[in-house]
Amino acid sequence: MNFDKDLLKTARREWITLGLTILLGLAGGIAVILQARQLSVILNGVFIHGWTRVEAAPLFGTLLAILIARAFFLWLAEISAGSLAIQVKTSLRGLLTNKIFSLGPAYTRGENSGELVNTTLQGVESLDAYFSQYLPQVLLAVLIPVAILVSVFPVDWLSGLVLLLTAPLIPIFMILIGKASENATRRQWNTLSRLSTYFLDTLQGLHELKLLGQSKARAENVRRASDRYRQTTMKVLRVTFLSALVLEMVGTISTAIIAVQIGLRLLHGQLPFVDAFFILLLAPEFYLPLRRLGQSFHAGTSGIQAARRIFDILQTPEPFETVSPRPSTGEIDSIHSLTFKGVFYTYKGQVTPALSGIDFSVYQGEMLAIVGATGAGKSTLVHLLMRFMPVERGQILINDIPLNNIDPEFWRHKIGWVPQKPVLFQGTIAENIALGRPTASMDEIIEASKLSHMDDFVTTLPHGYQTPIGEFGARLSGGELQRVALARAFLLNAPILILDEPTAHLDLQSEAWLEESIQKLRVGRILFVVAHRLPTVYKADQILVLDQGRLVERGSHSQLAAVDGYYSRLLHIYGGAAV
């Protein structure tokens, strides 16, 4: 896979900004040529022809204008290059985030969340140097030296020939050292990705580490991982400094060769002073774009390594495609039935199906509970329903319409999901409740809160619904978090609602409130409950019992409890308190 081509395609989407950056850089290079010519003419007139201050004054005005123009062009080029990098990074980060969401849990379950976050944030950010420095400099390293050669050859073909023959030395050394730099940078990026994963896992499990008395040992492991990253980074810097030394040395030696041959020919009268001084001023400027290319190459190498991972994700095939023709909005606006017909699903890299031949139907106003041991297929069934993954075999029918014919984004707006551990964001309580409907009015937010028993708690706070809460609901208890999630569900008013173990880890009072809210939510909706607690299960109209991906039993609580089957054995194991 050619990642340079992928990066170039990404940059071409912002071709106006990229073209402007290159044109401004080239204009700055042409200003350098004009500056050298003007300065050589002034010094030739003053020292050779004995011009007075009055005679030289007009030329100084022109020289000043050229200097100002050069500085102006370079300043605009930097602004344009920065704007190019910002536009590309913003676009790429949006594409990457949307792609990860489109791939869904079937993809992310096999990835490290810390590594994905590092790629989305730090990985995209590391492309800044590539787009703002390296990419424009690639073309400028060709255009500016060519412009200087065009100016030098008519003046002195021998000096132009020396410049032409010595120019490839810098790219050759840059390529030789660049191979070592690329390998070192790849190791640095891989180390950073592992460190990000390790550090995130540590933060997420900090509570458990404290309980088990392993926090100090884990901290020492984090310190060692950080030290490995430091050592890898120092190796990258070592190669970078070596490259800078070699490129500067080659550029200096090449400039010295030009200076020596010009000096000898000037001494023997074979070259006019004005032309000799003009070429001597341009010689360092001829090699400068090439040296800058070498420096920007090292700055952009980390971005190239990140691009490998970024485009690997972006080019991952989508799990499914919507089949045409799509139904009209009215056909699924009111959902009165949902059917799983012979549904199979097997995760990538596994042989045993996660779901095998699942058949059931549920109707509007009904509550369906899904029970089973860990790994039985409960989450897989929910993910298939939410179209995070494609059905391998079989069909899911909505109002007798295949789910595969419905646009995924449209369909997900028809589903409300209350996870076991709701995710809250930095902001006010009102903003967190209105997450699914940002345009909801305050009256609607308050009404949803009352239905979820959240209003009684919020009204006791000094700022009410405008009270800020921390990341992940740091200031709320487990029961309060669940009530915020239920308020979201009431406010969204979706025709299908999925509750993932809603009463887990709650006290009896919070559990009673949630049970009351759940009974309100089932009115006019299809309600799925992934449940472990018995009070939730026995109120369900239908219970699906899953075991190793198979639907082994189906019925109401009383029906299943009366039969000596898997469900009754679960009741016996958990003492009738949970399933």
Side-chain angles (χ1 to χ4, degrees), residues 84-305:
L84 171 66
I86 291 173
Q87 292 172 17
V88 173
K89 287 190 301 180
T90 302
S91 173
L92 203 56
R93 186 173 283 122
L95 289 173
L96 187 59
T97 303
N98 291 335
K99 183 67 175 184
I100 292 173
F101 280 123
S102 298
L103 292 173
Y107 175 80
T108 56
R109 75 190 298 268
E111 302 291 330
N112 289 315
S113 55
E115 190 269 340
L116 288 177
V117 171
N118 180 60
T119 300
T120 307
L121 298 178
Q122 185 61 33
V124 174
E125 194 63 34
S126 64
L127 290 171
D128 187 289
Y130 181 91
F131 289 107
S132 65
Q133 300 176 34
Y134 177 70
L135 189 57
Q137 195 61 37
V138 168
L139 292 175
L140 292 176
V142 175
L143 295 175
I144 293 178
V146 167
I148 292 176
L149 285 175
V150 170
S151 303
V152 170
F153 263 106
V155 175
D156 181 38
W157 68 269
L158 183 59
S159 297
L161 185 62
V162 174
L163 289 173
L164 184 62
L165 293 176
T166 56
L169 293 176
I170 292 179
I172 289 173
F173 280 99
M174 184 182 72
I175 293 171
L176 293 175
I177 299 176
K179 294 297 182 181
S181 175
E182 185 177 0
N183 294 332
T185 307
R186 184 183 297 113
R187 288 193 295 269
Q188 182 198 30
W189 173 254
N190 292 336
T191 304
L192 177 61
S193 296
R194 287 194 295 269
L195 177 62
S196 300
T197 300
Y198 193 78
F199 191 63
L200 180 62
D201 290 343
T202 301
L203 290 178
Q204 290 178 334
L206 196 58
H207 179 69
E208 288 76 10
L209 290 171
K210 292 289 290 184
L211 291 176
L212 297 173
Q214 295 296 313
S215 56
K216 291 184 178 180
R218 190 71 170 186
E220 178 61 23
N221 291 338
V222 171
R223 186 197 65 77
R224 285 199 295 266
S226 301
D227 190 60
R228 284 194 296 271
Y229 177 65
R230 178 188 62 80
Q231 293 174 1
T232 306
T233 302
M234 293 306 296
K235 290 179 181 178
V236 173
L237 293 176
R238 187 186 309 159
V239 175
T240 302
F241 289 143
L242 174 63
S243 173
L245 173 64
V246 171
L247 295 180
E248 289 293 335
M249 183 178 66
V250 172
T252 302
I253 293 174
S254 301
T255 303
I257 293 173
I258 297 291
V260 169
Q261 66 93 12
I262 286 178
L264 291 174
R265 294 168 63 206
L266 183 62
L267 184 62
H268 291 84
Q270 298 177 359
L271 192 66
F273 175 81
V274 63
D275 294 336
F277 195 70
F278 171 63
I279 296 171
L280 190 61
L281 289 176
L282 285 182
E285 301 293 342
F286 178 82
Y287 299 107
L288 182 60
L290 297 172
R291 297 204 306 269
R292 284 179 176 170
L293 177 61
Q295 295 169 359
S296 59
F297 171 78
H298 292 288
T301 302
S302 60
I304 295 174
Q305 300 308 318

Side-chain angles (χ1 to χ4, degrees), residues 5 51 55 84 103 108 134 139 154 236 307 333 357 382 432 455 486 499 502-503 527 532 556 577:
K5 289 184 179 179
W51 287 356
E55 293 175 308
L84 171 66
L103 292 173
T108 56
Y134 177 70
L139 292 175
V236 173
D333 189 41
V382 170
N432 273 277
D455 184 68
L486 284 173
L499 306 180
T503 59
L527 183 60
H532 280 181
S556 66

Side-chain angles (χ1 to χ4, degrees), residues 204 208 417-424 472 481-482 485 488 500-502 504-505:
Q204 290 178 334
E208 288 76 10
W417 181 42
V418 180
Q420 180 182 354
K421 294 181 179 180
V423 177
L424 270 64
F472 297 106
L481 287 172
Q482 288 288 2
R488 288 175 178 172
D500 188 358
E501 302 176 8
H505 315 302

Side-chain angles (χ1 to χ4, degrees), residues 131 199 251 270 319 422 436 440 443 456 470 484 506:
F131 289 107
F199 191 63
Q270 298 177 359
D443 289 338
D456 294 338
V484 170
L506 298 182

